Amino acid sequence: MLLKNVYTSIDIGSDSIKVVVCELHNNKLNLLATSSVKSKGIKKGLIVNADDAQASIKEAMEEIESLLGIKINKVIASVPANNAEFTFIKGEVKIINENNVVSSDDIVKVLQSSMKAKITPEKEMVTIIPIDFRLDDAEGMQNPLGHKASKLASRAIMVSTPKKNIISVLSVIESMGIEVVDIMINSIGTINALKTREMDSQVGSIVNIGAETINVALYNKGTIVKNSIIPIGSSAIDDNIAKAYNLTLDKARIVKERFAVCHTKYASKNDFYDVVNKDSKKIRINQAEVSALVSKRYCQLLELIVKEITSLSGKQLDYVMFTGGATNAYRFDMLIKDKLGKKASVGSVTMVGLRNNQNSAAVGNIIYFINKLKLKGKEYSMISEEDQDSLSSVNKNTANISSDSMLNKVVGYFFGE
């Protein structure tokens, strides 16, 4: 049976590779499958060993393909947000068709006109996020498609990153015979997955706590305006536990995730966890003691986050929302409210079957991709009958594709058909 309007998103993180496949049916996004495997060859969000990174991605893709029973050959891919820039841009075009009705071509043209001379040689555009459109004198329109006007104007945010951030990801994925149809930075996906109606009129921050980095993004009325990366993450807590109890990092992580409590108020002095240390000795870890260590380290991370938010915004925010795998830690929600107040919360993706916050960015990237299609009045699916027939074997010759041709094909997808 042919699957319609199916989308695959891959999030390449320092700790894990996440793949999410969703189907849009009756204007509702449904989760089909997810996979997550341990990352290799990726440090601080950047690919440092292409072969190892490719092996991790291949494992994640094979896992998702076995769950679905079909071949995945097209994806939306996240690229590193390191040194990303967010530029406010404006454009205006005349509507010259016979009926003065705004078409998808007009929307593309007005966004193209707004980005002229805005890209520096070392940067490449990731996407353009429309803020709103103006039809003649009517301002504040979100989707002008099909409306009549003599002039169409736009306000938008252009997102760009160093070319190397994009090329490193595309070269690895495309060398596997997988086509990257769009790219995204995760802070754009995250807001689309977690946004509430209230956030459309507020200024706030979403903090994604990863294993090796913390991404802090600032949003104005649901649109990203600034982004910063703190070069430390939750794996630092694993390291502290490992040193304190003479454990391997893997065992320390298990202690953190399955036994320790983020907020010491909820830890028990009478609960113990038995584990074998590096010296092959069986030890007992007290929950109150290890939770005190974990809580202290989380508080230090929160201090860094608050400092970064202050640096980005310089004013009081309406909300500070947290996401990422670290937010699944027990009583993390209580800790952030204790330290940041009522404005702090843990984000939640309201999708049946999606329980883990680590997939929020991957899901959000699909939502953003679909919203771009709607703005253009188009439909698209990453799975077709032809794909299923033709992809019984992977083309190995794509590894030699040039950097420029990859960028030309993928970056600026918004302007293509």
Side-chain angles (χ1 to χ4, degrees), residues 272-398:
F272 296 89
Y273 186 87
D274 294 331
V275 63
V276 177
N277 67 14
K278 287 182 180 179
D279 297 327
S280 300
K281 293 182 180 178
K282 188 175 181 179
I283 62 171
R284 304 196 84 192
I285 299 176
N286 179 271
Q287 188 179 66
E289 290 178 358
V290 72
S291 296
L293 185 157
V294 168
S295 180
K296 180 181 179 180
R297 195 55 166 152
Y298 267 119
C299 287
Q300 290 172 342
L301 293 180
L302 289 175
E303 288 175 8
L304 292 174
I305 290 166
V306 170
K307 184 178 179 181
E308 196 63 33
I309 290 174
T310 302
S311 175
L312 288 177
S313 65
K315 61 180 180 180
Q316 285 290 107
L317 300 182
D318 297 307
Y319 64 88
V320 179
M321 185 176 286
F322 289 81
T323 189
T327 62
N328 295 312
Y330 188 57
R331 293 301 184 182
F332 179 84
D333 57 335
M334 301 305 296
L335 181 67
I336 58 173
K337 287 189 180 296
D338 225 25
K339 299 300 178 182
L340 280 74
K342 293 181 179 179
K343 65 182 178 182
S345 66
V346 174
S348 177
V349 183
T350 56
M351 179 178 286
V352 176
L354 197 65
R355 299 182 180 88
N356 199 322
N357 235 358
Q358 70 172 357
N359 292 311
S360 58
V363 170
N365 287 341
I366 292 176
I367 294 171
Y368 180 70
F369 181 80
I370 293 171
N371 287 338
K372 287 199 294 184
L373 292 173
K374 287 180 179 179
L375 187 59
K376 293 170 63 180
K378 297 183 181 296
E379 289 190 10
Y380 183 82
S381 180
M382 296 179 188
I383 298 295
S384 69
E385 191 171 15
E386 182 181 356
D387 289 336
Q388 294 177 45
D389 291 338
S390 64
L391 285 182
S392 56
S393 61
V394 176
N395 181 4
K396 302 295 184 179
N397 298 322
T398 54

Side-chain angles (χ1 to χ4, degrees), residues 107-332:
I107 294 174
V108 167
K109 286 177 183 177
V110 74
L111 292 173
Q112 282 179 322
S113 71
S114 66
M115 64 174 284
K116 288 181 179 178
K118 295 291 185 179
I119 293 283
T120 56
E122 70 278 4
K123 297 276 187 177
E124 190 61 68
M125 187 189 78
V126 175
T127 190
I128 291 179
I129 307 171
I131 297 172
D132 57 23
F133 296 89
R134 187 180 78 246
L135 292 174
D136 293 335
D137 295 325
E139 298 182 344
M141 181 166 287
Q142 295 302 308
N143 191 343
L145 189 65
H147 291 264
K148 285 190 174 184
S150 59
K151 290 182 181 179
L152 173 66
S154 66
R155 299 191 306 159
I157 298 292
M158 182 179 70
V159 183
S160 58
T161 69
K163 288 184 177 180
K164 62 181 181 180
N165 289 7
I166 299 171
I167 292 171
S168 62
V169 172
L170 297 189
S171 59
V172 168
I173 296 178
E174 298 238 338
S175 68
M176 300 167 60
I178 299 173
E179 179 185 354
V180 179
V181 299
D182 200 9
I183 56 173
M184 203 62 54
I185 62 170
N186 281 343
S187 47
I188 296 174
T190 300
I191 186 71
N192 280 275
L194 302 178
K195 185 169 62 175
T196 63
R197 287 184 179 179
E198 291 77 17
M199 290 162 69
D200 279 330
S201 60
Q202 296 176 332
V203 176
S205 177
I206 296 182
V207 180
N208 192 326
I209 303 179
E212 296 184 354
T213 60
I214 299 173
N215 192 96
V216 182
L218 186 69
Y219 303 87
N220 182 12
K221 298 179 180 179
T223 301
I224 187 168
V225 290
K226 291 183 180 180
N227 192 85
S228 181
I229 293 177
I230 302 172
I232 190 172
S234 60
S235 63
I237 301 172
D238 305 346
D239 188 58
N240 289 162
I241 296 173
K243 290 178 179 177
Y245 295 98
N246 190 29
L247 301 176
T248 64
L249 284 174
D250 286 342
K251 288 184 177 180
R253 182 176 181 175
I254 291 172
V255 171
K256 179 191 72 176
E257 294 179 349
R258 299 182 186 178
F259 184 64
V261 182
C262 287
H263 199 306
T264 54
K265 178 182 176 181
Y266 302 95
S268 171
K269 295 180 180 179
N270 300 317
D271 283 352
F272 296 89
Y273 186 87
D274 294 331
V275 63
V276 177
N277 67 14
K278 287 182 180 179
D279 297 327
S280 300
K281 293 182 180 178
K282 188 175 181 179
I283 62 171
R284 304 196 84 192
I285 299 176
N286 179 271
Q287 188 179 66
E289 290 178 358
V290 72
S291 296
L293 185 157
V294 168
S295 180
K296 180 181 179 180
R297 195 55 166 152
Y298 267 119
C299 287
Q300 290 172 342
L301 293 180
L302 289 175
E303 288 175 8
L304 292 174
I305 290 166
V306 170
K307 184 178 179 181
E308 196 63 33
I309 290 174
T310 302
S311 175
L312 288 177
S313 65
K315 61 180 180 180
Q316 285 290 107
L317 300 182
D318 297 307
Y319 64 88
V320 179
M321 185 176 286
F322 289 81
T323 189
T327 62
N328 295 312
Y330 188 57
R331 293 301 184 182
F332 179 84

Side-chain angles (χ1 to χ4, degrees), residues 75-88:
V75 299
I76 304 162
S78 66
V79 298
N82 305 56
N83 301 309
E85 290 184 359
F86 304 84
T87 307
F88 177 75

